[in-house]
Amino acid sequence: MVFIPVNLGGDHWIVARVDLRKENVWIYDSLVAVRDDKTYKDTFKPLEVVFPRWLEDVGFYNVRHDLRNANHWNVKICKGVPQQEPGSGDCGVFMLMITMYLMFGLRLNFISGHGQYFRKKIVVDIFNGDIGL
C-alpha cells in the first residue's frame, strides 16, 4: 500500500491510496460531497495510465516481477469518507488523519467536528517527537 498526498487546484488536499497488488488507486476526499462525480472521476482517470508507467520507469517491476501484468488499473472514488465543513480549511488535517487511520487499519469514523482536536493532536505529536519533520 502506498499513500500519496494530492493537492487539487492549489487549495485542497486529498489522499490517494495505491494498492499495488489489486492495481487500484483509491481516492479519499473530505469534500467529495461538493463535486460532480463524472467530472471528478475524469480528473483522476490519467492515473490509470500514468501510475503503472511510472512504476515501470522507476524500475519497480525489475524488483517485483510478481506484480507486473497487463491488467488495466482502476481509479475509484471512496464513498463514506468523513466530510469536513466546506470552508473550514481542514482538508490538510483530514488528509493526514485519513492516511493515519488507513495505515493502522482503523475505520474512518471521525466527523467534521473533530478537526480542531486533530489539529491540536498533530501539534502535540510533533512537539513530543512522535511525528518527525
Side-chain angles (χ1 to χ4, degrees), residues 118-130:
F118 287 140
R119 283 181 190 280
K120 291 175 184 174
K121 179 181 178 356
I122 291 167
V123 169
V124 169
D125 287 348
I126 291 171
F127 183 77
N128 289 335
D130 295 334

Side-chain angles (χ1 to χ4, degrees), residues 19-82:
D19 186 332
L20 298 168
R21 294 183 196 286
K22 294 183 180 176
E23 298 170 334
N24 288 325
V25 178
W26 296 88
I27 303 299
Y28 293 83
D29 187 347
S30 61
L31 273 178
V32 77
V34 298
R35 308 206 187 283
D36 171 5
D37 280 351
K38 172 74 172 115
T39 304
Y40 189 64
K41 185 152 171 114
D42 288 347
T43 301
F44 298 102
K45 193 92 174 129
L47 288 177
E48 294 177 354
V49 175
V50 171
F51 200 78
R53 176 58 192 235
W54 176 76
L55 291 173
E56 185 73 45
D57 289 349
V58 299
F60 176 80
Y61 293 125
N62 294 337
V63 177
R64 292 298 308 264
H65 306 288
D66 57 313
L67 295 178
R68 175 189 282 152
N69 66 51
N71 291 342
H72 182 71
W73 279 65
N74 294 300
V75 172
K76 299 180 179 191
I77 309 301
C78 292
K79 305 290 184 195
V81 175

